[in-house]
Every structure is written in C-alpha cells, then in structure tokens.
C-alpha cells in the first residue's frame, strides 16, 4: 500500500517523500541510525562480557586443586626459561582444553583429566600466551567486534587473529623443545 502510494505520484506519496527528505536533511534520521548502531554495538559488548564472565565463573566453580609438586617444579623451571613471573595453576573439572583465565590477575586452568606427561607442554603453551599478552589482544578483538559488529570481515579477522595466536604459541613452544619432544608436542 505504501509503495503504491509513493509510486502513484498523488499528494500522499509526495508528502511522504518530502517528509523523508526533511528528516534526512535535518539529521534526525542519521541520529536515529547512529543510536541504533550504538545500541546493537553495546548489546554485542554486553554479550561478549557475559560470555567471558560465565566462562570464568564456571572455571572457578570447577577448580579441583593444583598439579602435584613435581609438575609445579617443572612449571617454575618453564617460567624461568621463558622469563615470566609465575601465575597460579589450577586443575579444573569439565574443562576441554587448557586456557588463561582473567586479565588483571590471570591464572592457568588445566583440564583435570590431562595426562601428567602432557601437562608441561600445556603449561609451556599457556606461558607463551601470557608472555605475548594474548589475554589483552583478546580484549582488543572483542572491542573491535563490538564497534564494527556489522562488518563480517572484522569477525573473520578476530577469528583468524585468535587462530594465529594459537599457532604462534605452538611455534614458540616447539622452538624450545629438542627433536623427539617436538613430535610428542
């Protein structure tokens, strides 16, 4: 009906087009578009923060302890090797992969079901993430996605940046490992 009225050229259609033109010239339409864009961006930001908060809360709730003394000694050696101040390490139930949790006071979360022989490699990998400041790069990726939520290339770039961070840490870890240990990594 509206399309017919606008295309018919009668007084109602011309008035509607004139009204749209006036709204655009005065800047009101642009202001509402900006408000809508900002509202969606804020919603994306809130969703990203809530997802991160729920994940951190779930990990904190499912902590079961710390690795044994031999693994913690190896962790201290790795921190010295990579020249990084140690952060707390916790074993966590229901965790599928090791990760860094938190930005200001980070800690390393290791799946409780991990084999003891694999934990030093996991710790070295997470130490490399800490050394590179990847938890802060993650926050920057989230800000970019929040500000440019409408651009799928920004979301793709954030995904690829995350993948590059993982590959870079793998490369750093294998660079410090002798030949046969690289294969086990």
């Amino acid at each position: 009906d509206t399309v017919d009225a606008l295309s018919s050229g009668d007084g109602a259609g011309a008035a509607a087009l004139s009204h749209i033109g006036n709204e655009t010239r005065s800047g009101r339409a642009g202001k509402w578009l900006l408000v809508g864009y900002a509202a969606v961006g804020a919603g994306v930001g809130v969703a990203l923060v809530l997802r991160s908060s729920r994940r951190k809360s779930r990990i904190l709730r499912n902590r079961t302890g710390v690795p044994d003394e031999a693994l913690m000694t190896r962790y201290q050696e790795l921190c010295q090797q990579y020249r990084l101040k140690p952060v707390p390490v916790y074993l966590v139930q229901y965790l599928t992969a090791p990760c860094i949790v938190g930005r200001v006071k980070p800690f390393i979360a290791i799946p409780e079901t991990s084999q003891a022989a694999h934990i030093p490699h996991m710790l070295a990998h997470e130490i490399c993430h800490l050394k590179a400041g990847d938890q802060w790069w993650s926050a920057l990726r989230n800000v970019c996605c929040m500000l440019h939520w409408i651009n799928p290339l920004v979301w793709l770039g954030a995904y690829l940046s995350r993948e590059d961070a993982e590959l870079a840490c793998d490369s750093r870890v294998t660079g410090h490992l002798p030949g046969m240990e690289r294969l086990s990594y």
Side-chain angles (χ1 to χ4, degrees), residues 6-117:
L6 290 175
S7 62
S8 68
D10 65 0
L17 286 174
S18 175
H19 177 71
I20 290 171
N22 288 337
E23 287 291 315
T24 305
R25 274 193 293 280
S26 70
R28 281 185 249 165
K31 289 176 187 172
W32 282 110
L33 282 173
L34 183 60
V35 167
Y37 186 89
V40 173
V44 168
V46 167
L48 291 171
V49 167
L50 285 176
R51 182 182 70 177
S52 179
S53 297
R54 280 194 310 263
R55 180 175 169 264
K56 182 177 181 178
S57 171
R58 188 173 54 248
I59 288 172
L60 287 171
R61 193 174 47 251
N62 292 321
R63 288 185 299 183
T64 59
V66 295
D68 64 29
E69 192 173 325
L71 286 171
M72 290 307 289
T73 301
R74 180 68 180 124
Y75 170 64
Q76 297 292 333
E77 293 168 359
L78 286 167
C79 286
Q80 288 177 353
Q81 179 183 352
Y82 288 94
R83 296 185 183 125
L84 183 78
K85 181 181 169 193
V87 298
V89 177
Y90 299 106
L91 296 173
V92 179
Q93 278 183 323
Y94 315 119
L95 190 63
T96 58
C99 59
I100 302 294
V101 180
R103 287 182 181 83
V104 178
K105 292 184 179 180
F107 64 88
I108 298 173
I110 302 289
E112 183 183 51
T113 58
S114 300
Q115 295 177 6

